């Protein structure tokens, strides 16, 4: 049975070109980039090239890119680094209620460290209102962190507008762009951001490596103390092969971004159309147009999202109930609750996210199998019969 992978928001397979680029750095070019002999130099050259590729993808300068151990570390570094560096100026942070756990849990931690956090609400589509950001600013506000696009429902936020508000108020602005970099344009100057998090394994690179863009002049203290790597901003011997792979992935996604955007958006639209036409009482969550090209999040009344995902798995189709990080917990998704879905409806939701290796045949197959799966589940539901 050919498996169909529809969970690209959770992670992506690595491209073969990326693996090829990494291979020498795992074997013969094994040097420590801080060493002054030739082995070290080779490794350093690899890192420099990768830094250039990531900087280009983001429209940033090379010296503004700090490599990290992933998206979660980049988020932690941004929030803790700026909060602790600006403690004497203020102790207030603004974020949204639909952030990834990497941001939300870091903000919860900051509350135990003497900071106060405002968690802004979102509308029924998952949009943050820039006026709400403006109104939440107080003299003590030192950081605003709002994600570029949501990993569960795909809604893309008005980041550039929020960025202007932050800049006017002189407040540092961070965005978690892990879901957008490599998939839609995410240029730091167009977005008006001071910091931006990204992660290689969401754009066909390796796991365990990411980057934080830090605009020149931003006051921030390191998360990791030790050696002088990454311009004194992130101690520890660099993950050379991982960084090199990240660079290659960044270079390739930049080249293909427009073409893939169009191809994947049209597959997404076709799948949504097919499902909405062939299944009754099914609803799309998130914004109809301000959404990631690859994201489909659906509520199917009288079913459980988890049953849909398990039954799809039996047919070789990998979907998800939402965030990979909460799929083992019994709590309904904080994002679906924030857009106003009642708890029991939130349980009836699931997510499909498309990517590079999906084809039109995949869309045909899912369009055929999914209505069958839903019909079978509803046939077992007394509530569906009684409705
Ligand atoms: C995946 C993801 C992260 C975490 O990135 P890791 O590299 O897995 O630590 C953070 N934010 C968002 C929006 C994500 O989708």
């Amino acid at each position: 049975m050919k498996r169909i992978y529809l969970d690209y928001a959770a992670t992506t397979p690595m491209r073969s070109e990326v693996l090829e680029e990494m291979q020498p750095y795992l074997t013969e070019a094994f040097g420590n980039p801080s060493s002054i002999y030739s082995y070290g130099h080779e490794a350093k050259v690899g890192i420099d090239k990768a830094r250039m590729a990531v900087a280009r993808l983001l429209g940033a300068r090379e010296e503004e890119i700090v490599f990290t151990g992933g998206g979660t570390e980049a988020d932690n570094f941004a929030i803790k680094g700026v909060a602790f560096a600006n403690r004497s100026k203020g102790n207030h942070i603004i974020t949204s209620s639909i952030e990834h756990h990497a941001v939300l849990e870091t903000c919860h931690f900051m509350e135990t460290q003497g900071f106060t956090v405002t968690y802004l609400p979102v509308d029924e589509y998952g949009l943050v209102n820039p006026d709400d950001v403006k109104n939440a600013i107080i003299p003590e506000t030192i950081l605003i962190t709002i994600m570029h696009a949501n990993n569960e429902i795909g809604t893309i936020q008005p980041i550039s507008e929020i960025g202007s508000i932050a800049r006017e108020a002189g407040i540092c602005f961070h965005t978690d762009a892990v879901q957008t970099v490599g998939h839609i344009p995410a240029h730091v100057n167009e977005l008006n951001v001071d910091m931006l998090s990204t992660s290689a394994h969401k754009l066909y690179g390796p796991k365990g490596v990411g980057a934080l863009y830090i605009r020149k002049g931003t006051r921030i203290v390191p998360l990791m103390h030790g050696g002088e790597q990454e311009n004194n901003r992130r101690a520890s011997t660099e993950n050379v092969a991982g960084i090199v792979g990240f660079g290659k992935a960044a270079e390739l996604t930049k080249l293909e971004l427009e073409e893939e955007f169009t191809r994947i958006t049209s597959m997404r639209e076709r799948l949504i159309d097919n499902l909405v036409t062939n299944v009754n009482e099914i609803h799309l969550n998130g914004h109809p147009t301000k959404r990631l090209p690859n994201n489909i999040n659906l509520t199917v009344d009288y079913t459980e999202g988890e049953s849909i995902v398990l039954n799809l798995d039996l047919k070789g189709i990998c979907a998800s109930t939402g965030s990979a990080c909460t799929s083992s917990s019994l709590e309904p998704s904080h994002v679906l609750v924030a857009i106003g879905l009642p708890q029991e409806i939130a349980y009836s939701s699931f997510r499909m996210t498309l990517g590079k290796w999906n084809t039109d045949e995949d869309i045909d197959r899912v369009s055929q199998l999914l209505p069958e799966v839903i019909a079978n589940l509803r046939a077992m539901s007394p509530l569906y019969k009684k409705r």
Side-chain angles (χ1 to χ4, degrees):
M1 182 167 58
K2 181 188 175 256
R3 285 195 299 174
I4 300 177
Y5 185 71
L6 297 178
D7 204 12
Y8 282 83
T11 192
T12 62
M14 215 164 72
R15 302 174 65 133
S16 56
E17 303 96 315
V18 168
L19 178 61
E20 236 169 75
E21 192 85 4
M22 290 169 69
Q23 208 115 40
Y25 294 92
L26 294 161
T27 49
E28 67 263 31
F30 62 85
N32 186 323
S34 300
S35 304
I36 55 173
Y37 42 78
S38 62
Y39 281 110
H41 184 69
E42 275 166 28
K44 181 156 184 328
V45 167
I47 292 176
D48 288 347
K49 186 176 165 209
R51 199 185 308 281
M52 172 115 61
V54 172
R56 282 209 180 123
L57 181 62
L58 302 178
R61 295 185 239 182
E62 286 148 75
E63 62 273 21
E64 294 173 315
I65 304 297
V66 177
F67 287 113
T68 65
T72 301
E73 187 189 316
D75 286 339
N76 271 264
F77 181 17
I79 296 167
K80 292 174 188 169
V82 165
F84 288 129
N86 292 279
R87 198 165 211 166
S88 59
K89 268 177 69 186
N91 68 343
H92 180 236
I93 298 168
I94 298 171
T95 188
S96 85
S97 50
I98 62 162
E99 297 297 311
H100 189 274
H101 287 287
V103 167
L104 275 185
E105 292 304 321
T106 306
C107 285
H108 288 154
F109 170 72
M110 296 318 286
E111 290 183 276
T112 71
Q113 302 299 305
F115 292 84
T116 60
V117 182
T118 299
Y119 300 90
L120 295 174
V122 293
D123 70 10
E124 60 188 305
Y125 299 117
L127 282 171
V128 173
N129 184 341
D131 287 338
D132 288 350
V133 177
K134 198 171 197 166
N135 294 333
I137 294 173
I138 55 175
E140 290 76 26
T141 308
I142 47 163
L143 173 67
I144 300 170
T145 172
I146 308 276
M147 73 199 314
H148 190 189
N150 184 265
N151 47 300
E152 292 186 40
I153 57 172
T155 302
I156 301 170
Q157 301 296 342
I159 291 302
S160 161
E161 246 181 291
I162 297 170
S164 305
I165 293 167
R167 186 152 307 158
E168 207 163 293
I171 299 165
C172 182
F173 180 38
H174 166 252
T175 192
D176 174 341
V178 173
Q179 286 292 332
T180 56
V181 171
H183 304 284
I184 64 171
H187 300 147
V188 294
N189 290 333
E190 284 165 22
L191 293 174
N192 289 323
V193 295
D194 300 308
M195 295 187 289
L196 177 149
S197 302
T198 167
S199 176
H201 77 101
K202 303 284 175 82
L203 50 105
Y204 313 109
K207 293 171 181 57
V209 57
L212 182 66
Y213 156 79
I214 308 172
R215 188 177 291 279
K216 193 166 182 258
T218 302
R219 274 180 64 179
I220 186 165
V221 295
L223 196 59
M224 309 283 269
H225 297 90
E228 296 180 354
Q229 291 89 355
E230 294 296 287
N231 219 353
N232 277 316
R233 289 183 150 173
R234 203 268 187 183
S236 183
T237 302
E238 296 87 341
N239 172 7
V240 180
I243 290 170
V244 164
F246 188 9
K248 189 68 186 175
E251 177 194 322
L252 294 171
T253 55
K254 185 172 190 297
L255 287 174
E256 296 169 7
L257 191 142
E258 254 176 75
E259 196 183 315
E260 277 295 273
F261 178 91
T262 309
R263 189 182 75 88
I264 290 171
T265 304
S266 93
M267 287 197 296
R268 178 198 74 191
E269 285 305 289
R270 197 158 71 82
L271 183 50
I272 293 173
D273 277 353
N274 288 346
L275 296 175
V276 171
T277 311
N278 295 318
V279 182
N280 57 6
E281 288 154 280
I282 190 168
H283 321 276
L284 183 69
N285 296 313
H287 198 280
T289 54
K290 290 173 191 161
R291 88 185 283 129
L292 287 170
N294 71 339
N295 176 290
I296 303 174
N297 188 305
L298 295 164
T299 296
V300 185
D301 296 346
Y302 308 102
T303 66
E304 277 182 9
E306 196 166 67
S307 307
I308 294 180
V309 169
L310 293 173
N311 280 277
L312 283 176
D313 185 41
L314 295 176
K315 297 180 187 293
I317 299 170
C318 311
S320 153
T321 48
S323 164
C325 319
T326 41
S327 54
S328 59
S329 78
L330 289 170
E331 291 289 302
S333 143
H334 67 286
V335 177
L336 297 177
V337 170
I339 62 172
L341 293 196
Q343 251 194 20
E344 67 278 11
I345 309 265
Y347 283 120
S348 299
S349 306
F350 76 108
R351 178 187 76 180
M352 295 179 286
T353 44
L354 314 179
K356 191 166 179 49
W357 285 279
N358 289 132
T359 62
D360 283 329
E361 292 80 69
D362 291 351
I363 302 302
D364 293 339
R365 193 164 157 72
V366 177
S367 300
Q368 185 211 332
L369 289 176
L370 191 51
E372 289 172 20
V373 163
I374 293 169
N376 287 339
L377 289 171
R378 282 176 170 174
M380 294 185 284
S381 157
L383 287 174
Y384 183 68
K385 286 175 207 148
K386 268 199 286 183
R387 83 195 195 287

